[in-house]
Amino acid sequence: MHVPDGFIDAPVSLAAGAVAAGAVAVGLRGARHELAERTAPLAGLVAAFVFAVQMLNFPVAAGTSGHLLGGALAAILVGPWTAVLCIAVVLLMQALLFADGGLTALGVNITLMGVVTVAVSYAVFRALLAVLPRGGGGRGGLGAAAFVAAALSVPASALAFTGLYALGGTADVSLTKVATAMVGVHLLIGLGEAAITTATVASVAAVRPDLIHGAQGLRRPLELRTAAVARPGAGGGGGAGAPGADVPVAAAGGGTRPADVPADEHAAPEAPAAGRGPRGRSTRRIWAAGAAASLVLAGIVSFYASSDPDGLEKVAGDEGIAKEEKEHALSDSPLADYGVEDVTNTRLSGGLAGVIGVTATLAVGSGVFVVLRRRTGPGRHSDQGSGQGAGGVSAPPPATRQEG
């Protein structure tokens, strides 16, 4: 749903630009609380992955295709504030390098594909997690919540476009027709969005659930239990050090443990708080796997994407809005329309353009998030271990033995 120049008039485009700029500014502040030292580069990877998957148009109806918007996926993986920035980076790269989405409509596109999809999907996602069963270590409802949230985010974005068109549409077209056509086709596209989002979230959850921001809080809360601990050399009388005295200890999900076992020995590793990976676990493997998948999708698989117009293009053509489209200011770019200039082989041209796009988006996104994380300062979201037990509750320090 990349809105080109000319569909929305200048005043409304400027207003949407102001909304987008404000959202990005707030996102820059909010992302500092979501990013951790090791997960900041992964946010850039999410942006690159969204760019790659957006190249894979899938058929949804006769003569119509759709593609991932990505707001729901990014919000679940890296958090809502960071997600807005991810989508903004993707749209900026697409507009500047590939002439995809108008320059004057950049604020419109960030508002529709970044702000609206992220806000709707994350609100729905967290609401559903609060009521869905939490079987399987807290991940029972994760897939269902991701599916519904992603599916609803797409028609919500279509409705938002209809609202902007009502305020500043440049073609004399019935608003009812625009709304009906946009919501109808994007309900179908939303199912594809939901399938891609759920599959991706499930894949990450299978190997590194600690890296899913939306999974925070899914661990069972820490409980304080008592254990009978005999301490050598302790006096009688049932005092604190007496044999059989009850000593508070922390246990994840019930049970007891000796008080002199370190607090994190029995902590459940299911899904630590967002951005706080287990001590010593590197993100290099998942980063490399994600980068490789993005390059393959954009460089090879994209050749097999549907060539049918996407939902907005189809509606614009059918309803007479397309005649208002203005030529992109960068239409003569060497990468315009996702092809490399002077490369005559269509497959090679598209593949090279996809690889360039993924690489550029990965570099810009990772650079932004790493710099943003470093400016946060010490003491926030360190992923080197926090001395916390399950559920983010500080566990008491290990009891020390008394030498008799």
Side-chain angles (χ1 to χ4, degrees):
M1 192 195 297
H2 292 75
V3 180
D5 294 325
F7 280 16
I8 308 296
D9 64 20
V12 175
S13 294
L14 287 173
V19 172
V24 169
V26 174
L28 288 170
R29 294 178 61 87
R32 296 178 182 180
H33 301 282
E34 294 174 343
L35 296 170
E37 191 66 33
R38 289 186 179 180
T39 57
L42 294 180
L45 176 61
V46 169
F49 184 78
V50 169
F51 175 93
V53 181
Q54 282 194 1
M55 295 183 66
L56 308 180
N57 281 45
F58 48 86
V60 294
T64 309
S65 70
H67 63 72
L68 182 81
L69 299 188
L73 176 61
I76 293 169
L77 291 180
V78 295
W81 303 118
T82 307
V84 171
L85 302 181
C86 285
I87 303 302
V89 168
V90 171
L91 292 170
L92 184 65
M93 293 295 99
Q94 290 171 335
L96 295 180
L97 295 180
F98 302 98
D100 187 12
L103 290 180
T104 62
L106 182 59
V108 171
N109 285 318
I110 292 176
T111 299
L112 296 178
M113 298 175 63
V115 179
V116 174
T117 59
V118 169
V120 171
S121 65
Y122 200 70
V124 172
F125 179 77
R126 294 301 297 182
L128 288 176
L129 283 186
V131 299
L132 288 173
R134 295 190 176 189
R139 288 176 287 174
L142 188 64
F147 188 94
V148 175
L152 292 179
S153 70
V154 177
S157 182
L159 276 176
F161 170 81
T162 303
L164 292 179
Y165 196 82
L167 295 174
T170 55
D172 185 15
V173 179
S174 167
L175 187 61
T176 302
K177 289 184 177 180
V178 173
T180 302
M182 284 293 292
V183 174
V185 71
H186 284 90
L187 280 172
L188 298 176
I189 294 174
L191 297 178
E193 177 103 9
I196 295 171
T197 299
T198 305
T200 305
V201 171
S203 298
V204 177
V207 293
R208 289 295 299 271
D210 57 290
L211 297 179
I212 300 178
H213 181 278
Q216 64 180 338
L218 292 185
R219 295 171 74 181
R220 291 174 293 180
L222 175 141
E223 300 176 7
L224 292 178
R225 296 296 180 100
T226 58
V229 182
R231 298 185 180 277
D246 287 342
V247 180
V249 294
T256 60
R257 62 174 175 79
D260 58 346
V261 176
D264 61 355
E265 283 288 321
H266 291 263
E270 277 295 335
R276 300 188 182 186
R279 184 190 298 269
R281 292 193 69 182
S282 173
T283 60
R284 291 180 181 177
R285 289 186 178 180
I286 195 167
W287 190 95
S294 300
L295 290 171
V296 170
L297 291 173
I300 300 176
V301 181
S302 62
F303 180 79
Y304 303 98
S306 173
S307 59
D308 291 332
D310 68 16
L312 176 59
E313 290 177 304
K314 178 66 173 176
V315 172
D318 291 346
E319 302 300 333
I321 303 174
K323 66 179 186 296
E324 301 295 336
E325 181 177 350
K326 295 181 180 178
E327 185 178 12
H328 198 286
L330 300 176
S331 59
D332 58 349
S333 165
L335 296 174
D337 296 325
Y338 297 93
V340 178
E341 190 177 25
D342 298 330
V343 176
T344 56
N345 185 288
T346 303
R347 186 189 296 264
L348 179 60
S349 178
L352 287 175
V355 169
I356 292 171
V358 166
T359 304
T361 304
L362 183 60
V364 173
S366 297
V368 167
F369 294 122
V370 169
V371 169
L372 185 62
R373 168 59 192 167
R374 289 178 179 175
R375 290 185 60 188
T376 301
R380 292 183 183 178
H381 283 285
S382 171
D383 56 349
Q384 298 302 312
S386 60
Q388 291 182 332
V393 179
S394 296
T400 56
R401 290 187 178 276
Q402 299 177 358
E403 297 298 328

